[in-house]
């Protein structure tokens, strides 16, 4: 049985990494008690909210499609619950160390410097939430006079989720300082943060007219420096946006809060937690394992057969869980032991796993595609239709490398499965194999929305897992719900903070300047696509897909449209490029995730991954140069 790998295990990026060692003093015990209290008041409500969301949406789908009597207030209540689920999930992710972070530089620090860097990171988190609490509270109070259309509830109910979560995050940051940091480190970190704040305060009049310099200072130097400290990316985006607006402009900070809320509360994004839950249930209930066994029975006896199975299985399950870590963790344990018996090098195994994950970034129901649809207005059905063929091109490129490298693979003792064994494996796998095809076909054909399909998929998986595979352990349900809430919160609050940052960049005039610069790139459409691909390979290596898309999608997609480039074609170029960057060492976080899932030292895999990434780079060139790959199957 495979075990789900937590992001904090993969990236070694726990927000609560041990510090200099603490004695069990009264202060430390108080901090631990406060953290335990926050754990229960966030995890239990989040798990309950997730179950209620699934039941509510399933009832709404049943009423709409079977009874032809939709629940009128269903979507409204789902939206209210969704914002609370997102914010509670963000708090859970902060406590569990599951926010997206860049820890490469932290890992190279000496223990004492790392402890100070993490203490400084805590103070930066505190600065962010302190800047957020007052405008969030003010905005929530202003929303009290507005009522929701169907239920007539005060709009302050969903609005209150942000200030409540901010207060809880502040409490968590304080507990980290009480439990892990020394007084000396706290004093030095406070002095540094306060010093930067004072410099910005006294320099505000000088910075205000310097638009370009201010943008570089806050959004380039500031955000990159904070990210390199290992601070959660959402904090880097949020604190830089708040600092920029409060220093350089006269805009009220409540705009940041309202923009965050708008970015996070779209019903399209409700598909995010549902697909994450669906992927976790598929792994826990045996559906993913059934797919692997069937594919292995077909081609596992051939040279490179299990590597081809890895590519095919990743194509089938990719995107459903919402987490590349979960996708890789579901596949690696079922294939790697047998591949090692056949003489496969551990470094090659990691290289194949990470490149397969990179190849599959465009495969629906990719959360990056859903995010693109949410922030740019592109049809999600069109994006899902366009996402299949770019991944096929990537898979063919990887299979070519596998064929070249596996010609000397040892097959002694490997037996070809009989027709009876293949038939039995197929019979067992049919319920599992049907799910990805039904999900993708339903959205592509416009039969139902991504959120509705995810809801049906959750119900289908529960029925198939309990009645057909009968291997679900009920004590795994609560952890799955909490993990889903945590990962959803980590994703959605990044979308919220990146939306606010994007608004600030747009208001500063940066988008107009960027449009002029990009349209002046030599080579016309092809030049613009090429520079976009390179840019997103770089962005994907340290930002991951969703924050990069939320930041730059609203800026670059209009430019692509003005140059008569198909939205779907441009989306595929961008997403495939980000996937390549995400799994490219030495920075790509996805590469280190694959190493952790495989329990292999990154140095052993780094030199072996380049042929596979080179093949994906060739595939990216094909996707850029041949629009038909992305748009050929659009209606």
């Amino acid at each position: 049985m495979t075990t789900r790998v937590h992001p904090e295990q993969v990236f070694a990026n726990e927000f609560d990494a041990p510090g200099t060692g603490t004695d069990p003093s009264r202060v430390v015990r108080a901090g631990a008690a406060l953290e335990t209290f926050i754990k229960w008041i966030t995890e239990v409500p989040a798990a309950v909210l997730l179950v209620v969301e699934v039941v509510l949406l399933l009832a709404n789908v049943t009423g709409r499609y079977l009874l032809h009597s939709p629940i009128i207030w269903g979507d409204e209540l789902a939206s209210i619950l969704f914002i609370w689920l997102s914010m509670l999930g963000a708090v859970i992710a902060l406590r569990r160390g599951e926010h997206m972070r860049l820890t490469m530089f932290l890992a190279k620090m000496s223990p004492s410097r790392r402890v100070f860097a993490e203490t400084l990171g805590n103070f930066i988190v505190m600065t962010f939430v302190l800047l957020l609490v007052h405008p969030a509270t003010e905005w929530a109070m202003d929303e009290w006079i507005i009522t929701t259309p169907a239920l007539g509830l005060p709009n302050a109910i969903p609005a209150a989720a942000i200030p409540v979560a901010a207060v809880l995050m502040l409490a968590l940051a304080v507990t980290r300082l009480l439990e892990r940091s020394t007084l000396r480190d706290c004093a030095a970190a406070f002095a540094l943060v306060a010093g930067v704040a004072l410099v910005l305060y006294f320099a505000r009049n000088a910075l205000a007219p310097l638009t370009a310099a201010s943008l570089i200072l806050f959004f380039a130097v500031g955000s990159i420096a904070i990210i390199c400290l290992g601070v959660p990316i959402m904090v880097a985006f949020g604190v830089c946006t708040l600092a920029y607006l409060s220093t350089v402009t006269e805009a009220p900070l409540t705009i940041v809060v309202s923009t965050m809320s708008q970015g996070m509360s779209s019903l399209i994004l409700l598909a995010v937690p549902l697909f994450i839950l669906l992927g976790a249930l598929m792994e826990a209930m045996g559906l993913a394992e059934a797919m692997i066994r069937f594919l292995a029975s077909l081609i596992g006896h051939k040279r490179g057969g299990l590597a081809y199975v890895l590519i095919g299985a990743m194509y089938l399950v990719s995107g459903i869980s919402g987490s590349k870590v979960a996708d890789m963790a579901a596949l690696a344990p079922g294939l790697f032991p047998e591949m090692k018996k056949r003489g496969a090098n551990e470094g090659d195994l990691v290289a194949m796993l990470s490149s397969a994950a990179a190849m599959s970034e465009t495969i629906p129901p990719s959360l990056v595609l859903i995010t693109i649809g949410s922030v740019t207005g592109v049809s999600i059905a069109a994006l899902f239709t366009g996402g299949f063929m770019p991944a096929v091109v990537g898979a063919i490129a990887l299979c070519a490398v596998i064929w070249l490298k596996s010609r000397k693979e040892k097959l002694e003792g490997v037996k070809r499965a009989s027709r009876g064994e293949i038939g039995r494996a197929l019979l067992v796998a049919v319920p599992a194999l049907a799910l990805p095809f039904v999900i993708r076909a339903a959205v592509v054909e416009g039969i139902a929305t991504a959120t509705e399909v995810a809801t049906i998929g959750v119900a289908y998986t529960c029925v198939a897992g309990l009645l057909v595979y009968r291997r679900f352990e009920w004590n795994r349900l609560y952890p799955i719900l909490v993990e889903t809430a945590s990962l959803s919160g980590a994703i959605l609050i990044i979308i919220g903070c990146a939306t606010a940052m994007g608004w600030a960049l747009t208001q500063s005039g940066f988008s107009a300047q960027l449009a002029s610069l990009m349209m002046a790139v030599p080579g016309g459409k092809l030049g613009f696509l090429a520079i976009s691909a390179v840019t997103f390979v770089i962005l994907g290596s340290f930002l991951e897909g969703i924050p990069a898309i939320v930041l730059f999608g609203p800026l670059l997609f209009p430019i692509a449209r003005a140059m008569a480039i198909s939205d779907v074609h441009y989306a595929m170029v961008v997403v495939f490029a980000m996937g390549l960057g995400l799994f490219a060492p030495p920075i790509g976080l996805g590469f280190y995730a694959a190493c952790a899932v495989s329990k292999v030292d990154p140095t052993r895999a780094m030199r072996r991954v380049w042929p596979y990434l080179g093949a994906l780079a060739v595939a990216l060139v094909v996707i850029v140069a041949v629009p038909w790959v992305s748009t050929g199957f659009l209606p």
Side-chain angles (χ1 to χ4, degrees):
M1 182 181 299
T2 59
T3 55
R4 184 167 178 128
V5 179
H6 296 293
E8 72 266 32
Q9 294 171 317
V10 169
F11 298 122
N13 65 343
E14 294 191 25
F15 193 72
D16 53 353
T20 56
T22 55
D23 45 87
S25 64
R26 185 178 303 173
V27 172
V28 174
R29 289 197 299 271
L34 178 58
E35 182 173 340
T36 301
F37 175 71
I38 294 173
K39 171 184 176 180
W40 290 112
I41 66 170
T42 53
E43 286 189 358
V44 174
V48 172
L49 282 173
L50 185 55
V51 172
V52 172
E53 284 277 32
V54 172
V55 172
L56 176 62
L57 290 169
L58 188 59
N60 206 11
V61 168
T62 303
R64 180 171 299 160
Y65 293 102
L66 296 182
L67 305 178
H68 304 290
S69 178
I71 303 173
I72 298 175
W73 46 265
D75 287 346
E76 186 174 289
L77 180 58
S79 181
I80 293 172
L81 299 180
F82 178 47
I83 188 68
W84 276 98
L85 174 63
S86 302
M87 295 310 301
L88 290 176
V91 177
I92 296 169
L94 186 63
R95 190 192 64 78
R96 291 160 57 104
E98 294 180 355
H99 278 288
M100 296 179 188
R101 304 172 61 196
L102 179 65
T103 57
M104 180 180 66
F105 298 105
L106 276 180
K108 295 180 180 179
M109 295 181 182
S110 64
S112 60
R113 289 185 177 179
R114 180 174 179 178
V115 169
F116 173 72
E118 290 175 342
T119 302
L120 179 59
N122 272 299
F123 272 95
I124 294 173
V125 173
M126 292 173 64
T127 302
F128 167 60
V129 292
L130 282 171
L131 287 171
L132 188 64
V133 165
H134 181 264
T137 304
E138 182 181 348
W139 177 70
M141 294 178 67
D142 290 342
E143 292 290 301
W144 188 264
I145 60 174
I146 303 172
T147 58
T148 59
L151 294 172
L153 297 174
N155 216 39
I157 293 176
I162 296 179
V164 168
V167 171
L168 292 174
M169 288 182 187
L170 178 61
L172 278 175
V174 171
T175 63
R176 294 297 187 269
L177 296 177
L178 293 177
E179 294 173 347
R180 311 289 182 180
S181 301
T182 65
L183 184 61
R184 179 179 179 180
D185 283 339
C186 288
F190 174 78
L192 184 56
V193 172
V196 171
L198 286 173
V199 168
L200 292 178
Y201 177 78
F202 287 112
R204 64 189 188 281
N205 292 328
L207 288 172
L210 303 176
T211 304
S214 299
L215 292 174
I216 293 171
L217 176 64
F218 286 96
F219 296 121
V221 177
S223 60
I224 291 173
I226 293 172
I227 289 171
C228 289
L229 280 172
V231 176
I233 293 174
M234 64 94 177
V235 172
F237 286 176
V239 76
C240 289
T241 302
L242 289 166
Y244 171 79
L245 292 177
S246 59
T247 302
V248 178
T249 74
E250 299 294 329
L253 297 185
T254 52
I255 292 178
V256 174
V257 184
S258 63
T259 307
M260 282 180 60
S261 178
Q262 290 171 10
M264 296 170 60
S265 58
S266 169
L267 273 178
I268 295 175
L269 294 175
L270 186 50
V272 171
L274 293 175
F275 276 121
I276 293 172
L277 177 61
L278 174 59
L281 290 175
M282 284 182 64
E283 186 273 327
M285 292 186 167
L287 277 72
E289 185 178 325
M291 294 181 195
I292 294 173
R293 286 182 178 176
F294 169 64
L295 292 174
S297 71
L298 284 177
I299 57 174
H301 61 281
K302 297 182 179 293
R303 284 189 171 87
L306 293 182
Y308 298 134
V309 169
L310 175 62
I311 302 297
M314 185 65 78
Y315 197 104
L316 285 175
V317 305
S318 181
I320 293 176
S321 72
S323 167
K324 282 298 170 189
V325 177
D327 293 344
M328 292 187 291
L331 299 182
L335 290 172
F336 280 12
E338 181 62 27
M339 294 173 79
K340 289 178 182 178
K341 288 180 184 178
R342 300 188 186 187
N345 180 279
E346 287 186 337
D348 268 329
L349 295 182
V350 174
M352 284 186 282
L353 183 65
S354 61
S355 57
M359 167 275 300
S360 61
E361 281 287 85
T362 65
I363 298 173
S366 164
L367 297 187
V368 180
L369 295 182
I370 295 172
T371 304
I372 288 176
S374 174
V375 301
T376 66
V378 181
S379 165
I380 291 179
L383 291 171
F384 278 18
T385 302
F388 289 108
M389 281 305 296
V392 168
V393 173
I396 292 172
L398 292 180
C399 288
V401 177
I402 291 170
W403 180 80
L404 289 172
K405 294 175 73 69
S406 63
R407 287 175 295 174
K408 297 181 180 180
E409 183 180 5
K410 299 176 183 178
L411 294 177
E412 291 83 358
V414 177
K415 296 181 180 179
R416 179 172 185 169
S418 66
R419 291 183 179 180
E421 290 171 333
I422 294 174
R424 285 191 293 273
L426 174 60
L427 186 63
V428 172
V430 164
L433 290 170
L435 180 59
F437 290 103
V438 170
I439 287 174
R440 288 155 183 161
V443 177
V444 168
E445 296 297 327
I447 298 171
T449 67
T451 303
E452 291 169 341
V453 170
T455 306
I456 297 169
V458 169
Y460 174 89
T461 301
C462 290
V463 172
L466 295 175
L467 299 183
V468 178
Y469 297 103
R470 300 182 181 181
R471 51 166 287 179
F472 184 65
E473 300 170 7
W474 284 101
N475 59 359
R476 295 188 63 183
L477 180 59
Y478 178 74
I480 285 174
L481 293 174
V482 173
E483 289 167 19
T484 299
S486 176
L487 180 55
S488 302
I491 291 172
L492 292 164
I493 197 169
I494 276 191
I495 292 176
C497 291
T499 301
M501 180 183 278
W503 178 87
L505 288 170
T506 301
Q507 295 302 310
S508 69
F510 172 76
S511 58
Q513 297 172 11
L514 179 65
S516 301
L517 179 65
M518 295 290 280
M519 293 186 77
V521 171
K525 292 182 184 180
L526 198 58
F528 175 72
L529 287 169
I531 195 170
S532 295
V534 173
T535 300
F536 278 97
V537 167
I538 296 170
L539 289 173
S541 66
F542 64 92
L543 275 186
E544 295 202 41
I546 289 175
I549 278 296
V550 179
L551 267 181
F552 294 98
L555 304 179
L556 295 180
F557 271 78
I559 303 174
R561 292 185 194 119
M563 301 183 75
I565 298 171
S566 164
D567 284 337
V568 174
H569 180 207
Y570 191 65
M572 296 309 125
V573 170
V574 164
V575 175
F576 200 95
M578 286 191 297
L580 184 57
L582 178 62
F583 288 89
I587 298 178
L589 298 178
F591 171 76
Y592 298 102
C595 293
V597 168
S598 309
K599 298 181 174 62
V600 174
D601 186 339
T603 56
R604 298 190 62 183
M606 197 169 294
R607 70 177 183 273
R608 293 181 176 271
V609 77
W610 296 112
Y612 299 96
L613 294 181
L616 291 180
V618 172
L620 177 58
V621 171
V622 172
I623 294 167
V624 168
V626 185
W628 181 90
V629 172
S630 304
T631 61
F633 291 93
L634 293 179

